[in-house]
Structure formats: C-alpha cells, structure tokens
Amino acid sequence: MPADFLAVGHVVKDITPGGWRLGGSVAYAVRQAHLLGLRTAAVTVCSPDVSPAEALPETVWHVLPDVQTTTFENVYRDGVRRQRVVQCARPIGAAQVPRAWISAPIVLIAPVFHDVEVNAGAAFPEASLVGLSCQGWLRRLRGSDVLPGEVDSVAPWLIGDIVFVSEEDVTEPEAVASWLAYVPVVVLTRGARGFTVFDDDGRHEFAALPAREVDPTGAGDVFAAAFLVRWRETGGDLAQTARFAAAAAALSVQGVGLEGIARREQIEALLAAGAAGRAS
C-alpha cells in the first residue's frame, strides 16, 4: 500500500512504574501523522512479544524480527530526564525499506540509539521530504545511562532536508547550525523554552506553548512529524509550520504516552485561540 508518511527506526519498550508501554520515535511520529489525515507506514525491529500493529493498527508496519526489543527507562525529576538503555535490537539498513514506500512524500528517519544505518537518507528520491530525527545517532552511553553526544559538522547521516535535534542530545547545542552545510533546515528544540530554526535566512526563535505537562515523552517526535506534515502542506512556510508544530507538541504532553497526541482539529482550535506565537 502506498504511504504518505513513512517512519524508520526502532519501536521501544518504555519502562514505567506500571510496566512497559510501546514507545519510540516512530510510534509517536506515525500516530501524529495519522491523526493529521495521512496514510502512514513504518519500518522497525522488535521481538515477537511486541506488536506495533496491535497498538497502532492504522499504520502499515514492516517489522524485522529480532530476539529482543530496544528498551528504555525514562525517569523525570525536576524537569530533567534521566534515560537508561536496557537492551537494543539489531539496526535497520536502508535496503530493508520496502520498495513501495521508497517514494513516500514525507519520510522521518528516527533512530533512538544507533538503530538506523547512517546512509539511510540516500535511499529516498529528491522529491521526498526527508526529516532526520538525529538523537539516536548522537547519543552515547556511560554504563547504561544515555549521555548527549558531540556535534560532528560532517556527520555521515546528514542526508536529508530537515534535521530535528534536542538540546538534551548534544553537548554544544548552538554548534548544530554547522549542519546547514549539508541540509537546508536545522531545528533545535529546547522543551518549554521553545525552539530555534536555522536556515539560509539565518536564525529564527519561536516560543513553546504553555502546557499542563503530564508526560513529556515523545513530544519531540510529535513536533517533528507535525513540522514535516505542515511544511509539506504550506510549501515551506516557516511561520505557519512552526506554530502548528508547537501546538501539536504542547497538546501531546498533556496526556500519557501515545494517548496525548492530538487530532488536526484540536491543533487548529488551539491555534485559532491565538495561543501559539512567535517569540522573535
């Protein structure tokens, strides 16, 4: 089946006090894209005890089997996340993306921990809008604890159109602007402090929306999916795209896990109320 929005990366077992729940960037991204009206597909790896299609039946899944599923433990304290890697499944190669999905109009390559080959962006045609959620290529470990990575200005995974990166995932957040040598747009998210977009016109600062935070997990992935969808819809109108993605992210943190992700009409209602605005 053709797809409007393709995500590539590992689904994750997110450990919570009540057990584990399905997570991972691909899960949050395809859920948001579906609720925006797109036909969604995903390429992932997991063990037989995990069924992404059961949790997200609206998405067509190409699941590569493994004996284990990538597993994370996230602990939030005073707004700071401590993340621990419990186990990792095998990586995904570009050649493992089904041919029918290679020409998807929107693609988000979203590794969580070195789980997608660095040349994956080269698999997609120029007509596709390719987003790179790069946290999984940046992260490193100290024991099992996840640490931010250094900015490599010539990173081999810089094959795409828009890079999404959180300041939590890099040691020098401002240095991500160096990636403009390889991609047209770099988006640096800063949680409740908003986000910065770097492009050929310079640096653009945007505010986050006030939100009653219940669970921030996946907010960056929701933001990336909404940003890509709206960017494609508007032909690259940065102001409209930024406001739309900010609203989607703000709504997502007000619920638990995948359940917090909003439909298009909810995002548009928030925007109509004038809650999302540009900082400068």
Side-chain angles (χ1 to χ4, degrees):
M1 185 188 82
D4 304 314
F5 184 102
L6 171 67
V8 182
H10 281 185
V11 291
V12 170
K13 285 183 175 180
D14 277 331
I15 297 174
T16 73
W20 70 269
R21 67 181 187 225
L22 186 72
S25 297
V26 294
Y28 283 91
V30 295
R31 178 63 176 164
Q32 181 63 88
H34 165 71
L35 291 176
L36 296 177
L38 280 70
R39 296 174 297 177
T40 56
V43 180
T44 196
V45 177
C46 60
S47 52
D49 62 311
V50 176
S51 176
E54 183 177 335
L56 296 165
E58 66 273 6
T59 294
V60 180
W61 291 88
H62 180 62
V63 178
L64 304 166
D66 198 3
V67 296
Q68 60 189 13
T69 298
T70 296
T71 303
F72 280 78
E73 182 180 42
N74 297 301
V75 177
Y76 294 93
R77 184 169 298 167
D78 298 326
V80 177
R81 178 175 67 176
R82 180 190 175 196
Q83 191 169 52
R84 190 169 69 89
V85 177
V86 178
Q87 60 185 17
C88 290
R90 63 188 176 95
I92 301 168
Q96 293 170 303
V97 177
R99 184 174 297 275
W101 297 343
I102 288 293
S103 59
I106 303 174
V107 178
L108 179 61
I109 303 174
V112 291
F113 192 79
H114 304 282
D115 50 292
V116 181
E117 288 183 353
V118 294
N119 65 344
F124 301 96
E126 189 174 339
S128 295
L129 175 63
V130 178
L132 304 169
S133 182
C134 65
Q135 60 184 2
W137 289 309
L138 294 169
R139 290 167 168 168
R140 55 195 177 92
L141 291 182
R142 181 175 60 204
S144 61
D145 288 343
V146 175
L147 300 179
E150 297 181 357
V151 174
D152 179 357
S153 61
V154 294
W157 50 261
L158 285 165
I159 309 170
D161 301 296
I162 303 176
V163 172
F164 299 94
V165 59
S166 167
E167 67 176 0
E168 292 183 345
D169 292 318
V170 286
T171 55
E172 297 179 81
E174 294 298 318
V176 302
S178 67
W179 294 337
L180 290 177
Y182 293 92
V183 296
V185 180
V186 177
V187 183
L188 174 66
T189 58
R190 306 177 189 274
R193 294 187 293 109
F195 56 100
T196 304
V197 179
F198 301 96
D199 62 16
D200 286 344
D201 293 327
R203 175 192 184 112
H204 315 272
E205 301 290 346
F206 294 89
L209 276 69
R212 181 181 56 84
E213 185 176 293
V214 173
D215 180 8
T217 305
D221 309 311
V222 165
F223 177 95
F227 194 102
L228 289 170
V229 171
R230 195 60 181 151
W231 183 271
R232 186 85 179 192
E233 290 174 346
T234 63
D237 185 302
L238 178 56
Q240 287 192 52
T241 298
R243 293 178 68 245
F244 189 86
L251 290 167
S252 75
V253 304
Q254 298 182 62
V256 176
L258 296 167
E259 299 305 314
I261 301 174
R263 297 182 179 277
R264 184 183 291 269
E265 55 266 29
Q266 295 171 289
I267 296 170
E268 291 177 344
L270 185 57
L271 292 174
R278 184 167 176 168
S280 62

